[in-house]
Amino acid sequence: MERMALTRSALRLFSGRFTQACQVRGYADAPSMSLTFAAPSQVLYNNISVKQIDVPSFSGSFGILPAHVPTLAVLKPGVVTVFENDGSTKKFFVSSGTVTINEDSTVQLLAEEAVPVDTLDISAAKELLAQSQSQLASASSEVAKAEAEISIEVSEALVKACE
Amino acid sequence: SQQVRGMATLKMISIRLKSVKNIQKITQSMKMVSAAKYTKAERELKLARPYGIGAQEFYKKAEVKDEEGEKGQLIIAVSSDRGLCGAVHSSIGRIVKTDIAANPNTKVVIVGDKVRNILQRLYAKNIAMVVTEVGRKPAVFGDAALVAQSIINSGIEFSKGKILFNAFRTVVSFRTTEMPLYSQNAVANASKLPVYDSLDSDVIQSYTEFSLASLLFYSMKENATSEQSSRMTAMDNASKNAGEMIDKLTMTFNRTRQAVITRELIEIITGAAALETKN
């Protein structure tokens, strides 16, 4: 009899904790995503757990959440938005690079140049756009034309990022 | 004539002394310069490490293996143009030599003149490309991109590849390390590649090309730091050795000087004593 009472109370205790644990797990059950976002001369995130990352890529802009399907993508000039775990959002302009999403939800975002968007100067960006357009007009060889087109693409993205 | 010889030896010693003192000044200033460059290089390396380590992650996670094939091996030997930095260049040269001996179908891309000098005599036909003007200024990504582009443009094909460089450990030690390089085919045939979604050959090509530049940049940064710290140690040792030589030479100089004076005194006294006894 005593043993029954003991086990019953133990069960109640256990089940109470169990349901509580279940509730907690339901909310934060999403596996975490570890982001390494770096450029050759600076580290922006080094194995930091974040909620979401929006990246501009040549195969389309997409958002990366934990447990995103593994993939590789090439970055297009544009804005990367990082949604951190504490709710804050940070935007960075990237010129080019690659993004790797692995099976274990680690993300490596390697950008050739990455700067916080609020450090961009819109007038300098517009000037760069005008310069690149005149460069394209005066380009003679295929290589020069391609370089000018890349320059235009980057400056257009820069201007867009500033707006 | 012995007197003359004593003086000549004295002059020779003093010339030698002056020259060793100059050398000590030079090695000391080289040490100072290397120390400053080392501090900068280490700072930049710290910022570049996450980038370099991140660039290798995909190949580890996707379990990419060397291509099965007979296209041979590609070694990119990363070093620099300048010497007087200890074992930095020779350790790379040594490993390349053993590799070529083991696998004659090897092409080497040499970054830095010093390794070229080591390999040129016996392995000139394995050298595919040499990059010079390396090491004077700290490497930037653009430099690595230039080298990567040249390698890609040259159309070198390989089944197995590696980047050989000196990884920086501490101020007094570095380790000659290799990072694996995989061809596009190797990536396409990786065991875990099907896990990765929506990949076409364009993406793989761009990815591997950018990877090459990134890994090269990282290896250049590590090598630069190892080189500067090694040069610091080497110049410090050279200054200490020069100091020891100066001490020994000064001792010899003083002894010789005293011997010359003593000899003169003896001659004077003997002459005076001879005159006295005559009288």
Side-chain angles (χ1 to χ4, degrees):
Chain A
M1 206 56 207
E2 270 177 287
R3 231 180 357 154
M4 286 288 277
L6 214 64
T7 38
R8 208 183 309 134
S9 59
L11 208 70
R12 214 175 299 139
L13 209 71
F14 178 69
S15 61
R17 205 174 295 154
F18 186 70
T19 38
Q20 209 178 22
C22 237
Q23 277 173 351
V24 170
R25 272 197 22 231
Y27 240 100
D29 194 23
S32 62
M33 174 169 67
S34 166
L35 169 68
T36 301
F37 180 6
S41 51
Q42 55 174 211
V43 187
L44 299 160
Y45 293 84
N46 192 3
N47 277 328
I48 309 274
S49 171
V50 296
K51 262 200 295 208
Q52 182 181 338
I53 317 157
D54 289 341
V55 295
S57 88
F58 274 110
S59 33
S61 301
F62 58 100
I64 306 172
L65 286 147
H68 190 283
V69 60
T71 187
L72 299 177
V74 177
L75 293 179
K76 205 164 63 150
V79 175
V80 165
T81 316
V82 180
F83 297 84
E84 296 182 0
N85 274 345
D86 59 5
S88 60
T89 315
K90 295 219 168 78
K91 292 188 188 231
F92 303 91
F93 180 82
V94 296
S95 64
S96 58
T98 56
V99 61
T100 313
I101 310 171
N102 296 305
E103 232 180 347
D104 54 9
S105 264
T106 55
V107 180
Q108 286 90 35
L109 189 56
L110 304 174
E112 192 169 338
E113 299 265 5
V115 287
V117 158
D118 44 18
T119 59
L120 293 175
D121 174 21
I122 188 162
S123 47
K126 287 202 171 132
E127 212 185 290
L128 187 65
L129 180 58
Q131 248 180 1
S132 341
Q133 279 163 338
S134 64
Q135 238 184 337
L136 180 62
S138 61
S140 45
S141 66
E142 285 298 314
V143 178
K145 238 192 262 185
E147 283 180 3
E149 280 172 359
I150 293 174
S151 194
I152 291 183
E153 197 177 350
V154 178
S155 17
E156 279 178 351
L158 270 169
V159 169
K160 194 149 164 256
C162 293
E163 285 162 4
Chain B
S1 120
Q2 235 188 11
Q3 196 179 34
V4 170
R5 215 175 336 134
M7 293 290 236
T9 322
L10 216 54
K11 189 129 187 246
M12 269 162 46
I13 296 178
S14 76
I15 289 174
R16 191 117 191 255
L17 201 54
K18 203 165 74 152
S19 110
V20 179
K21 278 194 184 150
N22 279 342
I23 289 182
Q24 193 190 41
K25 278 195 218 132
I26 292 173
T27 52
Q28 259 169 355
S29 74
M30 279 186 78
K31 178 190 163 194
M32 294 290 146
V33 168
S34 302
K37 289 195 175 171
Y38 158 75
T39 321
K40 181 165 184 215
E42 210 234 339
R43 213 178 336 129
E44 292 184 355
L45 175 62
K46 212 172 271 180
L47 294 175
R49 267 209 169 130
Y51 186 77
I53 294 175
Q56 300 174 54
E57 280 304 302
F58 165 68
Y59 300 100
K60 289 193 199 140
K61 298 263 161 79
E63 293 176 9
V64 188
K65 300 266 181 310
D66 292 326
E67 198 184 315
E68 305 278 334
E70 297 302 313
K71 293 192 222 142
Q73 185 182 218
L74 170 67
I75 303 179
I76 305 182
V78 176
S79 191
S80 83
D81 290 349
R82 294 161 151 218
L84 295 179
C85 48
V88 167
H89 305 300
S90 53
S91 54
I92 301 251
R94 209 170 5 107
I95 296 190
V96 175
K97 282 187 191 172
T98 6
D99 252 5
I100 294 182
N103 187 354
N105 185 8
T106 301
K107 283 155 282 209
V108 189
V109 169
I110 304 180
V111 177
D113 249 341
K114 285 288 173 185
V115 176
R116 188 248 298 265
N117 292 342
I118 296 175
L119 295 178
Q120 192 141 48
R121 212 164 42 94
L122 295 172
Y123 302 102
K125 64 177 174 54
N126 295 80
I127 301 178
M129 205 189 302
V130 179
V131 181
T132 51
E133 295 295 312
V134 178
R136 216 161 23 100
K137 285 193 291 199
V140 287
F141 187 76
D143 299 336
L146 200 67
V147 177
Q149 191 65 58
S150 314
I151 296 176
I152 293 164
N153 286 348
S154 73
I156 293 180
E157 293 202 328
F158 58 96
S159 308
K160 183 168 141 83
K162 61 171 118 174
I163 300 182
L164 205 54
F165 64 105
N166 293 300
F168 173 72
R169 278 207 294 190
T170 68
V171 185
V172 295
S173 84
F174 62 84
R175 187 173 23 178
T176 316
T177 327
E178 52 183 65
M179 269 194 294
L181 264 186
Y182 299 105
S183 63
Q184 284 179 44
N185 276 343
V187 172
N189 295 332
S191 58
K192 285 222 168 144
L193 200 74
V195 172
Y196 289 82
D197 184 45
S198 67
L199 292 187
D200 55 23
S201 57
D202 268 350
V203 172
I204 296 185
Q205 186 185 354
S206 301
Y207 192 88
T208 46
E209 290 181 359
F210 189 73
S211 259
L212 179 62
S214 304
L215 293 173
L216 265 172
F217 171 76
Y218 176 58
S219 65
M220 286 175 174
K221 283 303 197 195
E222 288 266 2
N223 201 65
T225 316
S226 307
E227 183 192 326
Q228 295 300 345
S229 73
S230 189
R231 185 170 293 128
M232 224 165 64
T233 322
M235 290 297 103
D236 189 33
N237 286 339
S239 307
K240 279 201 202 106
N241 289 343
E244 276 174 32
M245 278 179 82
I246 289 172
D247 288 341
K248 269 197 266 177
L249 278 173
T250 315
M251 199 66 83
T252 323
F253 181 83
N254 283 334
R255 264 192 263 119
T256 318
R257 186 175 53 84
Q258 287 163 349
V260 167
I261 293 172
T262 314
R263 206 173 298 128
E264 284 184 28
L265 279 172
I266 290 175
E267 284 171 15
I268 294 172
I269 292 171
T270 339
L275 277 173
E276 260 184 43
T277 47
K278 212 165 116 184
N279 288 349

